[in-house]
PDB file of all heavy atoms in Angstrom:
ATOM      1  N   ARG A1543     157.504 245.664 -13.891  1.00 94.00           N
ATOM      2  CA  ARG A1543     157.847 245.048 -12.661  1.00 94.00           C
ATOM      3  C   ARG A1543     156.987 243.647 -12.423  1.00 94.00           C
ATOM      4  O   ARG A1543     157.646 242.791 -11.943  1.00 94.00           O
ATOM      5  CB  ARG A1543     157.560 246.025 -11.523  1.00 94.00           C
ATOM      6  CG  ARG A1543     158.390 247.050 -11.311  1.00 94.00           C
ATOM      7  CD  ARG A1543     157.991 248.111 -10.185  1.00 94.00           C
ATOM      8  NE  ARG A1543     159.007 248.933  -9.721  1.00 94.00           N
ATOM      9  CZ  ARG A1543     158.874 250.063  -8.901  1.00 94.00           C
ATOM     10  NH1 ARG A1543     157.570 250.335  -8.629  1.00 94.00           N
ATOM     11  NH2 ARG A1543     159.819 250.749  -8.597  1.00 94.00           N
ATOM     12  N   THR A1544     155.816 243.695 -12.717  1.00 95.00           N
ATOM     13  CA  THR A1544     155.065 242.521 -12.582  1.00 95.00           C
ATOM     14  C   THR A1544     155.573 241.430 -13.454  1.00 95.00           C
ATOM     15  O   THR A1544     155.629 240.255 -13.035  1.00 95.00           O
ATOM     16  CB  THR A1544     153.425 242.833 -12.957  1.00 95.00           C
ATOM     17  OG1 THR A1544     153.025 243.833 -11.993  1.00 95.00           O
ATOM     18  CG2 THR A1544     152.695 241.519 -12.893  1.00 95.00           C
ATOM     19  N   ALA A1545     155.883 241.665 -14.695  1.00 95.00           N
ATOM     20  CA  ALA A1545     156.449 240.700 -15.612  1.00 95.00           C
ATOM     21  C   ALA A1545     157.724 240.075 -15.220  1.00 95.00           C
ATOM     22  O   ALA A1545     157.945 239.005 -15.221  1.00 95.00           O
ATOM     23  CB  ALA A1545     156.466 241.208 -17.002  1.00 95.00           C
ATOM     24  N   LEU A1546     158.569 241.058 -14.657  1.00 94.00           N
ATOM     25  CA  LEU A1546     159.868 240.620 -14.191  1.00 94.00           C
ATOM     26  C   LEU A1546     159.775 239.758 -12.929  1.00 94.00           C
ATOM     27  O   LEU A1546     160.582 238.768 -12.830  1.00 94.00           O
ATOM     28  CB  LEU A1546     160.782 241.924 -13.903  1.00 94.00           C
ATOM     29  CG  LEU A1546     161.236 242.574 -15.127  1.00 94.00           C
ATOM     30  CD1 LEU A1546     161.837 243.970 -14.744  1.00 94.00           C
ATOM     31  CD2 LEU A1546     162.354 241.731 -15.928  1.00 94.00           C
ATOM     32  N   GLN A1547     158.840 240.046 -12.098  1.00 94.00           N
ATOM     33  CA  GLN A1547     158.544 239.283 -10.933  1.00 94.00           C
ATOM     34  C   GLN A1547     158.156 237.868 -11.389  1.00 94.00           C
ATOM     35  O   GLN A1547     158.441 236.802 -10.711  1.00 94.00           O
ATOM     36  CB  GLN A1547     157.669 240.012 -10.064  1.00 94.00           C
ATOM     37  CG  GLN A1547     157.222 239.092  -8.794  1.00 94.00           C
ATOM     38  CD  GLN A1547     158.390 239.168  -7.736  1.00 94.00           C
ATOM     39  OE1 GLN A1547     159.484 239.777  -7.946  1.00 94.00           O
ATOM     40  NE2 GLN A1547     158.176 238.314  -6.787  1.00 94.00           N
ATOM     41  N   THR A1548     157.313 237.792 -12.367  1.00 94.00           N
ATOM     42  CA  THR A1548     156.759 236.530 -12.893  1.00 94.00           C
ATOM     43  C   THR A1548     157.958 235.743 -13.355  1.00 94.00           C
ATOM     44  O   THR A1548     158.022 234.444 -13.155  1.00 94.00           O
ATOM     45  CB  THR A1548     155.698 236.727 -13.963  1.00 94.00           C
ATOM     46  OG1 THR A1548     154.519 237.354 -13.397  1.00 94.00           O
ATOM     47  CG2 THR A1548     155.287 235.387 -14.605  1.00 94.00           C
ATOM     48  N   ILE A1549     158.884 236.334 -14.111  1.00 94.00           N
ATOM     49  CA  ILE A1549     159.927 235.651 -14.679  1.00 94.00           C
ATOM     50  C   ILE A1549     160.789 235.117 -13.469  1.00 94.00           C
ATOM     51  O   ILE A1549     161.326 233.911 -13.541  1.00 94.00           O
ATOM     52  CB  ILE A1549     160.779 236.586 -15.537  1.00 94.00           C
ATOM     53  CG1 ILE A1549     160.037 236.882 -16.878  1.00 94.00           C
ATOM     54  CG2 ILE A1549     162.174 235.851 -15.865  1.00 94.00           C
ATOM     55  CD1 ILE A1549     160.749 237.997 -17.698  1.00 94.00           C
ATOM     56  N   SER A1550     161.076 235.947 -12.560  1.00 93.00           N
ATOM     57  CA  SER A1550     161.934 235.480 -11.334  1.00 93.00           C
ATOM     58  C   SER A1550     161.220 234.393 -10.589  1.00 93.00           C
ATOM     59  O   SER A1550     161.945 233.460 -10.237  1.00 93.00           O
ATOM     60  CB  SER A1550     162.028 236.675 -10.476  1.00 93.00           C
ATOM     61  OG  SER A1550     162.812 236.330  -9.225  1.00 93.00           O
ATOM     62  N   LEU A1551     159.953 234.368 -10.357  1.00 93.00           N
ATOM     63  CA  LEU A1551     159.347 233.308  -9.639  1.00 93.00           C
ATOM     64  C   LEU A1551     159.209 232.131 -10.521  1.00 93.00           C
ATOM     65  O   LEU A1551     159.253 230.948  -9.916  1.00 93.00           O
ATOM     66  CB  LEU A1551     157.808 233.590  -9.261  1.00 93.00           C
ATOM     67  CG  LEU A1551     157.807 234.837  -8.157  1.00 93.00           C
ATOM     68  CD1 LEU A1551     156.176 235.355  -8.132  1.00 93.00           C
ATOM     69  CD2 LEU A1551     158.336 234.394  -6.888  1.00 93.00           C
ATOM     70  N   THR A1552     159.207 232.203 -11.929  1.00 93.00           N
ATOM     71  CA  THR A1552     159.062 230.958 -12.764  1.00 93.00           C
ATOM     72  C   THR A1552     160.393 230.305 -12.827  1.00 93.00           C
ATOM     73  O   THR A1552     160.486 228.964 -12.774  1.00 93.00           O
ATOM     74  CB  THR A1552     158.584 231.456 -14.075  1.00 93.00           C
ATOM     75  OG1 THR A1552     157.292 232.123 -13.939  1.00 93.00           O
ATOM     76  CG2 THR A1552     158.463 230.143 -14.995  1.00 93.00           C
ATOM     77  N   ILE A1553     161.542 230.991 -13.000  1.00 93.00           N
ATOM     78  CA  ILE A1553     162.700 230.408 -13.216  1.00 93.00           C
ATOM     79  C   ILE A1553     163.925 230.811 -12.367  1.00 93.00           C
ATOM     80  O   ILE A1553     165.059 230.402 -12.505  1.00 93.00           O
ATOM     81  CB  ILE A1553     163.227 230.466 -14.729  1.00 93.00           C
ATOM     82  CG1 ILE A1553     163.195 232.002 -15.241  1.00 93.00           C
ATOM     83  CG2 ILE A1553     162.367 229.722 -15.650  1.00 93.00           C
ATOM     84  CD1 ILE A1553     163.802 232.135 -16.577  1.00 93.00           C
ATOM     85  N   GLY A1554     163.578 231.641 -11.395  1.00 92.00           N
ATOM     86  CA  GLY A1554     164.662 232.108 -10.510  1.00 92.00           C
ATOM     87  C   GLY A1554     165.164 233.589 -10.534  1.00 92.00           C
ATOM     88  O   GLY A1554     165.068 234.040 -11.739  1.00 92.00           O
ATOM     89  N   GLU A1555     165.707 234.029  -9.541  1.00 88.00           N
ATOM     90  CA  GLU A1555     166.125 235.442  -9.471  1.00 88.00           C
ATOM     91  C   GLU A1555     167.229 235.727 -10.523  1.00 88.00           C
ATOM     92  O   GLU A1555     167.257 236.810 -10.979  1.00 88.00           O
ATOM     93  CB  GLU A1555     166.595 235.807  -8.006  1.00 88.00           C
ATOM     94  CG  GLU A1555     166.886 237.289  -7.835  1.00 88.00           C
ATOM     95  CD  GLU A1555     165.869 238.185  -7.959  1.00 88.00           C
ATOM     96  OE1 GLU A1555     164.776 237.736  -7.739  1.00 88.00           O
ATOM     97  OE2 GLU A1555     166.098 239.429  -8.351  1.00 88.00           O
ATOM     98  N   ARG A1556     168.037 234.818 -10.686  1.00 87.00           N
ATOM     99  CA  ARG A1556     169.176 234.985 -11.707  1.00 87.00           C
ATOM    100  C   ARG A1556     168.604 235.285 -13.059  1.00 87.00           C
ATOM    101  O   ARG A1556     169.525 235.970 -13.810  1.00 87.00           O
ATOM    102  CB  ARG A1556     170.086 233.812 -11.706  1.00 87.00           C
ATOM    103  CG  ARG A1556     170.947 233.647 -10.423  1.00 87.00           C
ATOM    104  CD  ARG A1556     171.982 232.549 -10.587  1.00 87.00           C
ATOM    105  NE  ARG A1556     172.863 232.867 -11.631  1.00 87.00           N
ATOM    106  CZ  ARG A1556     173.842 232.037 -12.038  1.00 87.00           C
ATOM    107  NH1 ARG A1556     173.915 230.833 -11.554  1.00 87.00           N
ATOM    108  NH2 ARG A1556     174.752 232.366 -12.901  1.00 87.00           N
TER     109      ARG A1556
END
Side-chain angles (χ1 to χ4, degrees):
R1543 280 176 167 168
T1544 300
L1546 289 167
Q1547 180 68 7
T1548 298
I1549 293 170
S1550 178
L1551 291 174
T1552 303
I1553 53 177
E1555 182 65 28
R1556 291 187 61 187

